[in-house]
Amino acid sequence: MSTLRELTKEELLAPGHRMCAGCPVPTLVRMTLKALRGPTVIVNATGCLEVATSIYPYTAWRLPWVHVAFENAAAVASGIEAGFKALMRKGRWDQKVDVIALGGDGGTFDIGLQALSGALERGHDFLYICYDNEAYMNTGIQRSGSTTFGAATTTSPPGAKIPGKREWKKDLIGIAVAHDIPYAATASVAFWKDCIAKVRKGIEVDGPAVIHAITPCPRGWRHEPSESIKVARLAVQTRFFPLYEVENGKYRITLPVPNPLPVEEFLKTQGRFRHLFKPENRWMIEAIQRWVDKNYERLVKLSQL
Ligand SMILES: Cc1ncc(C[n+]2csc(CCOP(=O)(O)OP(=O)(O)O)c2C)c(N)n1
């Protein structure tokens, strides 16, 4: 696949779901579903995507889909993959079925991490995609292990006591790669070609694959619904969210950013960072810039190994 024309016109996520206006998660899902190569089962952890696409008695999913708890998406995906394998071994099934698990950052970085680690360690052949809106959005914008340092959330409100979230974002891909899996990558909804190619690769590799996709949330990030894709693009152009992949341990930056914009350009698009622009908080912007620079340098070094 190299042009838009070559993509299937089939939409396996039906319109009419109840995701918020401007939410890029359905866009990510539509891209994902255009990368399929055959029969596929979707495993969906509790989160915005699940609650808003499966409001009883309706469903927006036009392929087999199972809702699982917040914490066990990867465990259920493992079970489905192992189940099909067993049926094939017994001669009761003869077609490869791909399994894709989808979870938010809360379900992935925090509560589902144990199940994900177990599934990666056991080597199940499935793709795990984390859509990262950097908080527990569907329950009221609580901070998660993925929320950026300094961000305002309902559980890290900036004020006299704290200047926003005090901890740094976890390195999900680093954790996944430490399991020695065949494929891991980051993706942004603003770069569809890169995103679809990575999903396809993740499906095709034999063994576990993990994709970490940045999906700006107009409600929680406090930006205009029409700006989500622009924000997702700025995340990459400022090197805040570099696009790279790790194939069998080999790092490659898939979209190098030789002349990055300052991270401020990304931060200032969002109300959740408004307080950082007060003179007494500017040190936090500088700290985020240092974090961004260090991370990108690290990725450049790793990709030269
Ligand atoms: C064990 C457990 N604890 C808490 C909840 C309540 N809960 C449902 S969804 C959710 C947050 C999900 O956040 P995330 O995974 O980031 O997805 P998002 O809502 O942002 O799409 C929480 C806390 C739950 N369903 N199960």
Side-chain angles (χ1 to χ4, degrees):
M1 189 281 302
S2 56
T3 65
L4 267 181
R5 267 175 208 281
E6 289 170 62
L7 286 181
T8 170
K9 289 202 169 59
E10 192 178 23
E11 294 290 350
L12 293 172
L13 183 75
H17 53 69
R18 315 282 179 84
M19 297 295 274
C20 299
C23 174
V25 176
T27 312
L28 173 71
V29 173
R30 287 173 56 210
M31 287 180 191
T32 297
L33 299 179
K34 284 186 189 296
L36 303 188
R37 62 173 174 179
T40 305
V41 177
I42 302 288
V43 180
N44 198 177
T46 305
C48 298
L49 177 65
E50 169 270 319
V51 295
T53 55
S54 63
I55 296 172
Y56 183 80
Y58 304 109
T59 176
W61 297 87
R62 291 169 169 162
L63 73 173
W65 174 93
V66 55
H67 166 222
V68 297
F70 200 23
E71 56 272 46
N72 63 348
V76 173
S78 305
I80 293 172
E81 188 258 348
F84 276 115
K85 240 189 211 159
L87 286 176
M88 282 169 100
R89 217 167 30 233
K90 290 179 186 165
R92 288 169 56 197
W93 189 265
D94 60 1
Q95 210 177 1
K96 170 84 176 114
V97 175
D98 294 318
V99 181
I100 301 180
L102 281 158
D105 50 292
T108 307
F109 283 65
D110 300 338
I111 195 164
L113 190 63
Q114 176 183 336
L116 179 60
S117 173
L120 301 184
E121 182 265 329
R122 292 189 303 272
H124 289 280
D125 185 14
F126 78 120
L127 167 63
Y128 190 101
I129 301 179
C130 169
Y131 65 93
D132 183 4
N133 51 28
E134 294 210 327
Y136 296 8
M137 292 305 181
N138 91 94
T139 47
I141 322 177
Q142 297 91 4
R143 56 83 86 195
S144 80
S146 158
T147 309
T148 296
F149 174 80
T153 69
T154 52
T155 48
S156 61
K161 298 277 183 211
I162 59 162
K165 194 203 179 200
R166 284 176 293 183
E167 303 82 16
W168 292 90
K169 189 179 173 84
K170 264 189 214 177
D171 174 13
L172 181 71
I173 292 296
I175 294 170
V177 169
H179 290 76
D180 202 14
I181 57 173
Y183 191 72
T186 58
S188 162
V189 275
F191 296 91
W192 63 271
K193 217 164 159 176
D194 181 83
C195 181
I196 293 177
K198 285 167 171 170
V199 171
R200 185 59 184 245
K201 256 189 191 176
I203 292 171
E204 282 176 355
V205 293
D206 195 15
V210 174
I211 290 180
H212 175 200
I214 189 88
T215 50
C217 169
R219 292 275 303 115
W221 292 20
R222 310 274 180 228
H223 59 74
E224 286 301 317
S226 59
E227 303 244 290
S228 297
I229 299 297
K230 179 184 142 191
V231 175
R233 190 176 302 120
L234 275 171
V236 176
Q237 290 169 334
T238 58
R239 294 180 174 171
F240 170 83
F241 196 85
L243 294 182
Y244 64 100
E245 65 184 5
V246 191
E247 258 183 294
N248 297 313
K250 174 86 188 107
Y251 280 72
R252 186 171 76 89
I253 297 178
T254 58
L255 204 126
V257 186
N259 303 305
L261 295 167
V263 75
E264 263 189 70
E265 296 299 315
F266 169 71
L267 302 177
K268 76 180 184 200
T269 58
Q270 303 151 55
R272 65 179 177 147
F273 295 121
R274 191 171 299 130
H275 58 287
L276 299 189
F277 291 86
K278 289 183 185 163
E280 67 272 25
N281 286 336
R282 292 243 22 146
W283 66 271
M284 295 174 82
I285 298 182
E286 286 158 26
I288 296 171
Q289 184 68 62
R290 280 197 299 277
W291 175 82
V292 163
D293 294 345
K294 200 171 135 195
N295 186 44
Y296 198 85
E297 268 168 43
R298 180 182 70 93
L299 292 172
V300 168
K301 277 193 193 133
L302 284 168
S303 58
Q304 287 164 348
L305 287 179

